[in-house]
Amino acid sequence: MTNLSRRSVVAGGVGLGGAALLGLRPEFARAADFPTKPFTAIVDAAPGGGHDRFTRAITPEWTRITGQPIIPEFKPGAGGVLSATTIVNAPADGYTLGVIAVSSMNVSIALGKPQGFGFGSFAYLGTMWNGPIAVFTGKDSKWESMTQVVEAAKTQKITAAVAALRAMYHISGVIFDKRMGIETQFVPYNGGGPSRQAAMSGETDIVWTGLYDASANYDGLRCLCVFDKENPIPDVIDAPTVYEMFPEQALTLLHPTAYCVSAKVRDENPEVYQYLVDAYRETYTSEATQKALIDLQFQPASLKYTSPEELSAIEADFIEQLKSIEI
């Protein structure tokens, strides 16, 4: 347990006036003796991927704000469970950060994959990016609307490509199928790219994927449905939302990826946790960070900061959706 609370109140400690003397912003005053060493970010993918590029993009501003850099440590494998286990088991001192695909991790937890942790094991700092699930079909496909696909599924086989079975996109499709009273045949491919290629080529009727994940394939795909209350990029993708097409069965399906720490940090060192949340929010929303991310081809619409409270609400809603199906 750090001595942040003690340092914030002792004589000569840091109140608002002390923060000004030290050149610190008031919201960071309570953590005047933290941090004193670099942070480690547990990244659940190989170097060079989106998680790595994001971490490197935020590090300059994070270093400016906290005085300490973020050093990535790559732990790919087991669908993110390996890295998640490392995050959960790290000391509660706040120096071990992590990357979590929130909804995907909830699917893994629901499937019983992780050992030694479950729902509520992570305390979020804020999103890296966030966006809705969407259904696409090939540009030259016969399918003109999601309504047409749903009606056809009642009398014939409809094939849907997914990155993998019993993973986020597949589970999203299963949840929707149950609401609509249909049964799609889900076909697994080795990753998101191959699954989208399957729909583009006509090998499958549709593909379940992320709205932004498909950005590299927009020229070869048509979006049939966006699983959010609004289409966040109507100037890029001309597609209706599930709320417009199926108002009685509509649901929001989001796929946020977030920076987090073990819930032990929040519970055992609340001052440290709040410091990290504040520092992350300032880092993420800064003009320098946003420019760096956009320069790296991150979709601007996906880069809207989502707070820990909002992420927890998204997580709770998705967990309820998981309870509606057998996985």
Side-chain angles (χ1 to χ4, degrees):
M1 184 76 175
T2 65
N3 61 347
L4 299 181
S5 296
R6 180 179 62 81
R7 282 287 301 271
S8 67
V9 297
V10 294
V14 183
L16 293 184
L21 290 173
L22 291 175
L24 298 172
R25 283 169 295 282
E27 63 267 33
F28 300 126
R30 297 182 69 187
D33 62 344
F34 174 92
T36 59
K37 63 181 182 179
F39 295 89
T40 298
I42 307 300
V43 180
D44 63 342
H51 295 176
D52 179 23
R53 290 185 292 117
F54 181 94
T55 294
R56 296 183 190 282
I58 68 169
T59 294
E61 193 68 4
W62 175 272
T63 304
R64 183 189 69 81
I65 290 168
T66 67
Q68 297 291 341
I70 299 175
I71 300 173
E73 181 176 320
F74 302 99
K75 287 187 175 292
V81 172
L82 179 61
S83 61
T85 301
T86 303
I87 297 164
V88 168
N89 291 332
D93 56 11
Y95 286 102
T96 302
L97 315 178
V99 173
I100 290 290
V102 178
S103 298
S104 293
M105 182 53 57
N106 288 330
V107 170
S108 293
I109 291 170
L111 290 169
K113 289 182 180 179
Q115 299 295 318
F117 68 90
F119 300 124
S121 292
F122 307 98
Y124 300 116
L125 307 184
T127 41
M128 296 166 64
W129 53 77
N130 190 14
I133 303 298
V135 172
F136 289 83
T137 192
K139 186 72 76 175
D140 300 323
S141 165
K142 66 181 180 180
W143 303 113
E144 298 295 332
S145 71
M146 194 65 184
T147 301
Q148 184 187 16
V149 172
V150 168
E151 287 303 311
K154 295 175 182 178
T155 59
Q156 68 185 78
K157 181 177 72 174
I158 296 294
T159 55
V162 291
L165 293 180
R166 305 185 87 190
M168 177 60 188
Y169 298 140
H170 173 218
I171 296 301
S172 295
V174 172
I175 291 170
F176 179 71
D177 275 10
K178 181 168 184 179
R179 288 193 170 221
M180 303 307 298
I182 61 175
E183 189 171 339
T184 304
Q185 180 178 333
F186 293 97
V187 184
Y189 288 81
N190 188 24
S195 71
R196 292 186 287 273
Q197 288 292 333
M200 290 171 63
S201 68
E203 189 174 323
T204 62
D205 293 297
I206 58 176
V207 58
W208 280 80
T209 188
L211 180 64
Y212 303 131
D213 291 346
S215 60
N217 306 114
Y218 284 163
D219 289 343
L221 293 170
R222 281 187 291 109
C223 187
L224 298 179
C225 187
V226 177
F227 282 80
D228 204 351
K229 293 181 179 178
E230 295 182 357
N231 176 355
I233 49 172
D235 55 329
V236 178
I237 292 293
D238 181 17
T241 70
V242 67
Y243 288 87
E244 294 168 326
M245 303 187 77
F246 310 104
E248 294 184 4
Q249 297 91 358
L251 75 163
T252 298
L253 291 170
L254 300 176
H255 195 14
T257 299
Y259 250 78
C260 70
V261 292
S262 169
K264 294 184 298 184
V265 179
R266 179 197 59 210
D267 299 339
E268 297 177 21
N269 275 314
E271 298 94 344
V272 166
Y273 173 65
Q274 189 59 53
Y275 174 90
L276 294 171
V277 170
D278 292 341
Y280 185 81
R281 182 181 63 250
E282 182 165 339
T283 295
Y284 187 89
T285 58
S286 72
E287 183 177 342
T289 295
Q290 291 288 304
K291 182 181 184 303
L293 291 170
I294 292 170
D295 287 347
L296 288 171
Q297 306 303 308
F298 285 94
Q299 171 61 246
S302 73
L303 299 176
K304 295 180 180 177
Y305 175 77
T306 304
S307 70
E309 294 78 15
E310 292 168 321
L311 274 166
S312 294
I314 292 170
E315 181 176 57
D317 180 70
F318 186 65
I319 291 171
E320 285 301 309
Q321 299 297 341
L322 286 173
K323 293 177 182 178
S324 71
I325 61 172
E326 292 184 7
I327 57 175

